[in-house]
Amino acid sequence: MAATPSNSRLKFTPSNSPFLSRPSRSSRSPMRGRSYHDSSKLSLKRVIGTTCSSPTGFDTVNSSFAYIAGAAVVVVDVDGDSHSQRFYRARPTAMPLYSVATFQNAPSTPTTTPKANDSRGRVAPSFRDSPHNATEWGDSSGSRTWTSRERIKAATCVALSRDGKYLAVGETGYAPRVLIFSLHDTSSDTPLVSISEHTFGVNAVAWSSDTRFLASLGAANDGFLYVWKIDSRTGAAKLFQQNRCTSFIKDMVWMGNCLITLGVRHAKMWRVEEGPTISPTKQKFHNDQASTPPSQRALPGRNILLGPLLETTFSCAAVVKDNSLIICSETGDICILDDDDRQMKLLKVLNLNFHITSITVRDNVAYVGGKGGHFATLDVEAVLDCRAACVLDTTESSRGLIALGFLTDKLVTIDSRHSVDIWDSDHVPGKDDHAMSTIPIPGHGDPVTGIQVLQKPNDLDASFLTWTVSGNVKFWSLDGHVKTSIDVPIEMTEPENEMDPINQVTYARTTSNGKLLVAADRLGVLRITDIATKESLLDIKAHSSDCRHVSVYENESKFLMASCGRDRTTQLFHRTAAGFIEHFQTLEFAAKVVQVIIPSEDRVLTCSFDRTLQVHDLITREGEEDAIAAIPSRVISLKASPTSMVIGPDEKTVFVSLLDRSVCQYDLNTGRQISCFKCMDEGGVESAVLDSLTIGQWLPKDQDFLLGMSNTDKSIRLYDAQTGNFLDREWGHTEAINGVCLVDDEDGSRKVVSVGSDGTMMIWTLDLNDPLPGSMSRDPSPVKDGVSSRPPLRRVLSKAELAEFQRPSPASGRRSPPRTLQRRTSRFNLAASVRNPTNTFPLSPSTMNMMGDTPSRRPSGDSRATSPPVSPKARMTRRPSLPALGATARRKTSSSNLRGFGSLNMATEQACRTLRAYRKKLSSAEPISQDVLSELDQELRLTAAALGERAIRGKAMNETVLSGLLDQYSERLVTLLDEKLRLTHPRERDGDSPDEEGQRSADGDSSSLSP
């Protein structure tokens, strides 16, 4: 009995247990989502806006800076007055290029993105004493496919390595990751490394000054600080040290080989030191998994004495020359670190009297930004000398600063409106408010609540427009440039109580020519604004509450507009002959109207929450062009409440998205449902509700597709409009998606633009073409080989083909090859054993009775007195009963049958041998029934026809050989059959009795059917 190892007692491991090897995601679930390279239809091209809210979401190095935007990271390279952007994002199922070793000197194993680390605090006994394997100890709940909570992730922090080679990104959400990308690549969806040791989110990541270490700090609920050792050549990561850190951390910086963490009543220094390398323990046996992993020291840390700053929340810090540190607090304190080798403590230098959010140092000057728009510059030398008179300048602006940093010759700021601005290096924020930033990176700053595609050409040359709740409407190009901006006036009223919502813009759209802007708000007011002059043309109180949707139809002679709201009404407007827009009818419904569409000048469609779709016809009174009325035409009942609808390409059908997570297509003329499909994912497991529908056509494949957004999992989805098949889906927004549209680019490509409540807009490239063969692989095409390296020629003729070349010679007395082949088949009918009188099997009476009762077997020799004499050859070919055969004979017969019909060639050979045996039997004098001959003639004709069709269709046989075979065998069979008939029918006319004739015919049937 093996001795119990010393580490077999139960213990708690703070990180992933090295004893438990995690199975990969692909092995746990065969229905995982497809990889990104498997026919992806959507690819991220551009991100507009940012979600950065703290200094940890922004970083600079050399002439580049990075900031977070939803689930992606934007890296901007600045070159003079121009800049370029790259985007980095990893799907939840992204496969990293390198694996991660979770303990020192551990061998790397290929891993995918694992589940959230749930092994902390778990009892981990040795597998030597456990009856279960490693897979059973894995997370059994992970066998499901990716759920919606696993897909919704947000980038929370970012860090650029000091040498400009790597980008580190921390995530939050379910199963958060630390991703490492290579900055040498362009925009990428494939990380070098994916680390999944944190459970509840990553608060901060930071690179050491020499890029040898990467520190990742989890949220307070996660409670772990990891230091990863990075391979400078490849970027691969290995866990170096770790420790607990359960405070609420605001910032984390490196100072030499020390790591400083700052937060709520917390300041601590962690010292990273490399000890002697310990060789891993060699396993004695191949399956011995209980060997102790190499020892790993915990990350040592010392608390910094706060003194009178015990109740302070520290917000940011800046390192000076890798040996000094300036720490700032939310109350405006400027502190330095005093380390006398015995204890570390903070010394307060001065107080700036404003909430400090960010600090950066350049040329011996510290730039300090505040939340309320305050800004100050400090003399670094004076601050380090603890002199209170260290303030060089103070300013104030209307917008607060969230983060700032210096490039080589530029200053980058992110303000409280989430605007990213690039200034000259000598610019002081707040000092010259009217100065224009040299390179503005536009963005809304507020949650984007909607989007609408613009028809081209238009006066602004814009591709789409977006709007915010505050009434700011921007017109954009696909390059991310703002063409113009309009602020829609909103009437602000005093709410009667705290539950009343604040007024905001709920919908906006333009006319088809792009000259008028129609906007609606929560108070039910419709405003029409001239885009060129930005003057208000019309203000109408259309609804008593929220106006949810507006539809406009315009041609050369007519202008129609419809709006719907929560007040269960739809208002209809038109332009009179005098050029004025007036209201002509109100349509009332039993429930809230979800959407209204005017597809043509004579029809209006509405759908409401009472599960109905209403069709109204627009009728004009004779002689009065301005007298218009909407007459109910048809009511279509829906299976569930609708969320959105869109007219089909032929304008005869309508697609409706329902709350039961399905999309149905209806005929507008008959009201009949044409098709319906569930909005499933690629695995066919989860479904989602589509909150918006857009239909498009992909001309290269003549395919109609549906584009929709789903806030069930915050995804953008594509479906085939005809079949309902799932095409693709993508994620990127961290909050609700408020709109999606399809835009045609000038180069002929199609773009998908989505907007979200997180203030970001994402532009995706759409490509529905099938991927080219070999495009899935990252490997280059193989080089063509020479002739010598090609495989040798092989053409082995089958026995049936060889039989065509081996004709029997008349001068030779030897047997022809067909007879030799027939002798080999004696095992099937046991002819050899029957010919030998000494090998006759004795049959029991019961067996004889069974054989006599079976129609397919003839009686034995004892019953020959009542039967006509049978030919000796027919008796020899009679097959004995299987119970009378030995085990060896039965085994040979079974194996021969299996080998004989294993392929088409073998079956052909078997048919040839059977026909040759049959021709031998025709030489006997046994009678043959006319029905059997007719059936044989029919089968031969069908076989010949089938062979001819196969030769023409597959070109697998030589036409000359085939025709020769058919002619030879048909002539010989016809000759033999005629001879047989000539010999048989005269005997029947000579006076044979009917009984003898029937018995003789039956014997002929039996002999002809013997194999």
Side-chain angles (χ1 to χ4, degrees), residues 640-772:
S641 297
T643 59
S644 178
M645 66 177 177
V646 65
I647 297 294
D650 54 357
E651 297 185 356
K652 297 180 180 179
T653 61
V654 59
F655 292 88
V656 185
S657 174
L658 306 176
L659 282 178
D660 64 350
R661 307 190 176 192
S662 64
V663 174
C664 298
Q665 182 183 10
Y666 296 92
D667 191 322
L668 292 177
N669 296 325
T670 62
R672 181 178 59 88
Q673 177 180 314
I674 300 176
S675 63
C676 185
F677 64 90
K678 277 282 187 180
C679 302
M680 307 299 292
D681 56 9
E682 62 271 28
V685 177
E686 289 188 342
S687 57
V689 178
L690 295 186
D691 301 318
S692 174
L693 280 182
T694 303
I695 193 165
Q697 289 181 307
W698 190 255
L699 297 180
K701 296 177 62 176
D702 193 20
Q703 179 183 15
D704 296 336
F705 63 91
L706 289 174
L707 169 67
M709 66 177 189
S710 174
N711 282 313
T712 306
D713 58 354
K714 296 182 175 60
S715 65
I716 303 166
R717 293 174 173 245
L718 288 170
Y719 291 93
D720 192 311
Q722 282 84 14
T723 63
N725 293 335
F726 172 86
L727 297 179
D728 196 15
R729 61 175 171 178
E730 278 293 348
W731 303 268
H733 296 280
T734 58
E735 296 183 23
I737 304 177
N738 295 324
V740 63
C741 71
L742 187 65
V743 183
D744 293 329
D745 203 351
E746 296 179 355
D747 58 0
S749 61
R750 312 289 295 272
K751 301 294 189 299
V752 174
V753 186
S754 59
V755 298
S757 296
D758 55 3
T760 61
M761 296 178 285
M762 296 191 176
I763 302 177
W764 313 79
T765 300
L766 176 64
D767 185 8
L768 295 182
N769 292 327
D770 296 329
L772 297 176

Side-chain angles (χ1 to χ4, degrees), residues 928-950:
I928 303 178
S929 172
Q930 187 66 31
D931 296 337
V932 176
L933 289 175
S934 301
E935 183 179 359
L936 177 61
D937 180 72
Q938 181 181 2
E939 292 297 329
L940 289 175
R941 294 177 185 274
L942 293 177
T943 304
L947 286 173
E949 292 177 0
R950 179 176 178 85

